[in-house]
Amino acid sequence: MKKTISVPTITAFKNSPDRGKGLARDMRVRWALEEVEQPYNVQLVTFEELKQPSHLALQPFGQIPSYEEGDLVLFESGAIVFHIAEKHTGLLPSEAKARAHAIAWMFCALNTIEAPIVERSSFVLFEHDKSWYNERLPLLDERVHVRLKQLSSHLGNASWLDGAFSAGDLLMVTVLRRLGSSGLLNHYPNLCDYIARAEARPAYQRAFASQLAVFNDTLNS
Amino acid sequence: MKKTISVPTITAFKNSPDRGKGLARDMRVRWALEEVEQPYNVQLVTFEELKQPSHLALQPFGQIPSYEEGDLVLFESGAIVFHIAEKHTGLLPSEAKARAHAIAWMFCALNTIEAPIVERSSFVLFEHDKSWYNERLPLLDERVHVRLKQLSSHLGNASWLDGAFSAGDLLMVTVLRRLGSSGLLNHYPNLCDYIARAEARPAYQRAFASQLAVFNDTLNS
């Protein structure tokens, strides 16, 4: 009897607020799956569907992406990427110390770096019409700069954060890309090169094209 | 020849801004080490020392805790707790699906839940004298409530987030405790019980006593 291979299914926004820029969190999971050459299905969900009990059973916080593989159901993009990285080769080094370092960069991307970046982008999105907007934005820019400066110092002239490309780089690049058109990254040429190096990977390009196709389909429907 | 056991060394604040309340991120690592009964050393560092090249070599973002075990150096409390959980039994289930769920809760605690909680507490700490403070605080309270409500719904009457106590619960409880005296948790009796249940664990109590002793020593020195 042949072993049944469960093709995973992920959820993604039917109408992503990023308009196909690859900033939604399904991009991380698509990219990881492309790096390990694992085919996958995508179930598109509306904002209304995210709040329904059927989705909340998969994802208690009403977010995307969720991940289903046979009877395994996962949420949190970091945990899904980690699961893919453990199940396949290519995203985590096998040597124990290098593996632990790559995992540290995964947590770093999603906690130390993402927190001030999301705080800033939420502020721009939701509070641009508030009286305090112009006075407060520089405070948030400065918090992001503190982290970018430290990250830039650590990276130096290296290609990736710690040796070979890993799930830590994959998550870090998706987090940095959320700064989008803010201009904050322009002060750090080595971080811009780092992002460009990641975006040039064929797996990244396939993942980006897939999520862009969803946006284009929505426009044409 | 006996195998050499490396007793890990972690860093913690010499003068923790939480005044011994166990809210600094070394508490997570102390608690994890106590759960698995692994002795450890603590190196206390001042805020000035965190910015020195010798510490930045261990921790590129000038934070605590860092973790040294033989020639392995790690940073990010989530990654350190994960390393401890992988190396010892007791913090991650061995069954694959349950293990993946516990890891999802680790990432959830440090991303989905911690981000709005830290955003709020930083605001209270650094912007209490700003003109926008009173008008803006309710916006941040509401963002925290959205997550607490979903978490409370998920937990229901269960003791822990997914089956037995895991590293996911350990991180989640340390994140929720950061709400401290805000009063926001009072709306969720099951989350208060969850935190109390965790705080009653002997390993938690040993870890709490250790970090409190540092604060008391500082007071008396």
Side-chain angles (χ1 to χ4, degrees):
Chain A
M1 206 171 89
K2 274 178 75 176
K3 194 181 165 197
T4 308
I5 297 170
S6 294
V7 172
T9 298
I10 68 169
T11 48
F13 289 129
K14 189 164 186 173
N15 293 288
S16 180
D18 77 340
R19 304 178 57 84
K21 289 185 189 145
L23 302 179
R25 287 180 172 85
D26 59 299
M27 178 65 195
R28 300 166 178 181
V29 175
R30 291 174 182 270
W31 184 8
L33 289 163
E34 293 287 356
E35 287 283 348
V36 303
E37 300 183 4
Q38 167 65 55
Y40 61 100
N41 300 315
V42 181
Q43 186 193 342
L44 300 177
V45 288
T46 62
F47 288 108
E48 294 68 39
E49 285 165 344
L50 286 173
K51 310 298 167 204
Q52 298 302 314
S54 58
H55 183 77
L56 291 171
L58 303 180
Q59 215 303 349
F61 302 95
Q63 302 164 313
I64 61 95
S66 57
Y67 177 94
E68 282 187 84
E69 176 201 307
D71 62 352
L72 173 67
V73 179
L74 282 181
F75 67 103
E76 284 289 324
S77 57
I80 298 168
V81 168
F82 181 72
H83 171 76
I84 295 164
E86 273 205 314
K87 199 179 157 84
H88 302 265
T89 55
L91 287 173
L92 279 178
S94 53
E95 191 274 319
K97 208 161 62 173
R99 181 174 178 276
H101 288 171
I103 293 170
W105 284 109
M106 294 180 72
F107 279 99
C108 176
L110 299 184
N111 192 271
T112 299
I113 310 296
E114 190 169 55
I117 289 177
V118 166
E119 180 173 353
R120 183 191 180 282
S121 54
S122 301
F123 182 72
V124 171
L125 194 61
F126 298 119
E127 300 181 48
H128 57 270
D129 58 350
K130 299 290 186 185
S131 60
W132 54 76
Y133 183 77
N134 288 332
E135 193 178 342
R136 195 168 181 272
L137 185 59
L139 304 177
L140 301 186
D141 284 351
E142 178 52 26
R143 286 184 207 165
V144 174
H145 276 306
V146 166
R147 294 308 179 207
L148 293 182
K149 194 174 168 185
Q150 291 164 326
L151 186 67
S152 173
S153 293
H154 169 83
L155 184 65
N157 295 318
S159 292
W160 307 112
L161 292 168
D162 192 280
F165 176 83
S166 78
D169 295 295
L170 186 151
L171 291 177
M172 188 66 80
V173 167
T174 60
V175 166
L176 294 176
R177 287 190 77 252
R178 296 176 74 106
L179 286 168
S181 55
S182 71
L184 299 187
L185 281 164
N186 298 347
H187 301 262
Y188 311 94
N190 69 335
L191 295 182
C192 295
D193 290 349
Y194 171 66
I195 295 168
R197 200 176 295 128
E199 288 176 343
R201 294 175 72 86
Y204 177 93
Q205 296 191 357
R206 290 193 298 273
F208 188 87
S210 301
Q211 62 79 39
L212 181 59
V214 173
F215 174 70
N216 288 335
D217 283 352
T218 308
L219 275 190
N220 298 330
S221 67
Chain B
M1 207 171 88
K2 273 179 77 177
K3 195 182 164 195
T4 307
I5 296 170
S6 294
V7 173
T9 298
I10 68 169
T11 49
F13 290 128
K14 189 164 187 175
N15 293 287
S16 180
D18 77 340
R19 302 177 58 83
K21 287 184 190 146
L23 302 179
R25 287 181 172 86
D26 59 299
M27 178 65 194
R28 299 165 179 182
V29 175
R30 291 175 184 271
W31 184 8
L33 289 164
E34 292 287 355
E35 287 283 348
V36 302
E37 299 183 4
Q38 168 65 55
Y40 61 99
N41 300 316
V42 181
Q43 186 193 342
L44 300 178
V45 288
T46 62
F47 288 108
E48 293 70 36
E49 286 166 343
L50 286 174
K51 309 299 168 204
Q52 298 302 314
S54 58
H55 184 77
L56 290 171
L58 302 180
Q59 215 303 350
F61 302 96
Q63 302 164 313
I64 61 97
S66 57
Y67 176 94
E68 282 187 83
E69 177 202 306
D71 63 351
L72 173 67
V73 179
L74 282 180
F75 67 104
E76 284 288 324
S77 56
I80 298 169
V81 168
F82 182 73
H83 171 75
I84 296 164
E86 273 204 314
K87 198 178 159 84
H88 302 266
T89 54
L91 286 173
L92 280 178
S94 52
E95 191 273 320
K97 208 161 63 173
R99 181 174 178 277
H101 288 172
I103 294 170
W105 285 110
M106 294 180 72
F107 279 100
C108 176
L110 299 184
N111 192 272
T112 300
I113 309 296
E114 190 170 54
I117 290 177
V118 166
E119 180 173 353
R120 184 192 179 280
S121 54
S122 301
F123 183 71
V124 171
L125 194 61
F126 298 118
E127 300 180 48
H128 58 269
D129 58 350
K130 300 290 187 185
S131 60
W132 54 74
Y133 183 76
N134 288 331
E135 192 178 343
R136 194 168 181 272
L137 185 58
L139 304 178
L140 301 187
D141 285 351
E142 178 52 26
R143 284 184 208 165
V144 174
H145 276 306
V146 166
R147 294 308 178 206
L148 294 182
K149 194 173 169 185
Q150 291 164 326
L151 185 67
S152 173
S153 293
H154 170 83
L155 183 65
N157 294 318
S159 292
W160 307 113
L161 290 168
D162 192 280
F165 176 82
S166 79
D169 295 295
L170 186 152
L171 291 177
M172 188 66 81
V173 167
T174 61
V175 166
L176 294 175
R177 287 189 77 251
R178 295 176 74 105
L179 286 168
S181 55
S182 71
L184 299 187
L185 281 165
N186 298 346
H187 301 262
Y188 310 94
N190 68 335
L191 295 182
C192 295
D193 291 349
Y194 171 65
I195 296 168
R197 199 175 296 126
E199 289 176 342
R201 294 176 73 86
Y204 177 93
Q205 296 190 358
R206 290 194 298 272
F208 188 87
S210 301
Q211 61 80 39
L212 181 59
V214 173
F215 174 69
N216 288 335
D217 284 351
T218 308
L219 274 190
N220 298 329
S221 66

